[in-house]
């Protein structure tokens, strides 16, 4: 006769009992939940050719979300700085006030090449999935948040953590009038008028006099990864 082990659960009493039958003999023992879980852990068979546990390694500072496939790693980061060096054609706007921004981008798994860059404007708060978003008031970004980089070359990051500097780099790309729409700011200003109007303002001014909600939340932005 084969040996047999049975586990009995008493839901009402919270008791776990192990029953072992060995020939005509029957023995019973009450065990704790931790003992049972530890037994299960030790009993799991791991193949020698099983893939390793996925490790993210160091991520860029202020990372909000990560999605990884065999070909690329997509990241959404929060950009906490409220100043950036911007330009419109050859006109420089150093240390220009900006609203709260989030950036999405992909990095090639094989070569570290950056692609699919996006920029979004969020509410002036610690970001959550329900944080509301606004129309991007500047240029080079379409309604989906996709950034046009023109003929500019994007970097490669063999170490993903080094992509922390990408948002500042993307903001420094010279702007033109491509994809700019005066209806994306409350004052209806054209681009040069908008930049001149904002250069001496505080970042909080965006949220009272400039930005227009776009009906999306940060969760929507992240879903586009």
């Amino acid at each position: 006769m084969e040996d047999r082990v049975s586990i009995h659960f008493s839901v009402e009493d919270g008791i776990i009992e192990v029953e072992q039958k060995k020939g005509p003999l029957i023995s019973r023992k009450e065990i704790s939940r931790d003992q049972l879980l530890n037994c299960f852990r030790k009993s799991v068979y791991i193949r020698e050719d099983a893939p390793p546990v996925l490790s993210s390694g160091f991520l860029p500072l202020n990372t909000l979300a990560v999605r990884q496939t065999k070909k690329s790693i997509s990241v959404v980061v929060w950009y906490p700085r409220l100043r950036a060096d911007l330009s419109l054609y050859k006109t420089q706007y150093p240390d220009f006030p900006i609203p709260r921004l989030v950036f999405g981008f992909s990095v090639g798994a094989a070569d570290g090449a950056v692609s699919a860059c996006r920029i979004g404007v969020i509410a002036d708060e610690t970001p959550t999935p329900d944080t509301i978003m606004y129309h991007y008031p500047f240029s080079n970004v379409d309604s989906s948040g996709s950034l046009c980089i023109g003929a500019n070359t994007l970097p490669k990051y063999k170490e993903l953590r080094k992509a922390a500097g990408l948002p500042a780099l993307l903001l420094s790309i010279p702007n033109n009038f491509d994809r700019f729409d005066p209806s994306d700011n409350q004052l209806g200003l054209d681009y040069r008028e908008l930049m001149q109007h904002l250069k001496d303002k505080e970042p909080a001014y965006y949220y009272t006099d400039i930005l227009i909600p776009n009906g999306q939340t940060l969760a929507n932005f992240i879903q586009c990864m």
Side-chain angles (χ1 to χ4, degrees), residues 12 32 65 73 88 96 99 109 125 134 139 187 190 197 201 205 210 222 224:
E12 294 181 356
S32 69
I73 302 173
L88 175 56
F96 194 84
E125 63 184 28
Y134 300 84
S139 69
L187 303 179
D190 69 28
H197 181 73
K201 299 293 192 294
Y205 180 76
I210 298 297
I222 291 174
C224 294

Side-chain angles (χ1 to χ4, degrees), residues 95-114:
D95 200 37
F96 194 84
I98 57 174
R100 296 287 183 187
L101 301 177
V102 288
F103 289 78
F105 57 92
S106 293
V107 176
D111 59 2
V114 172

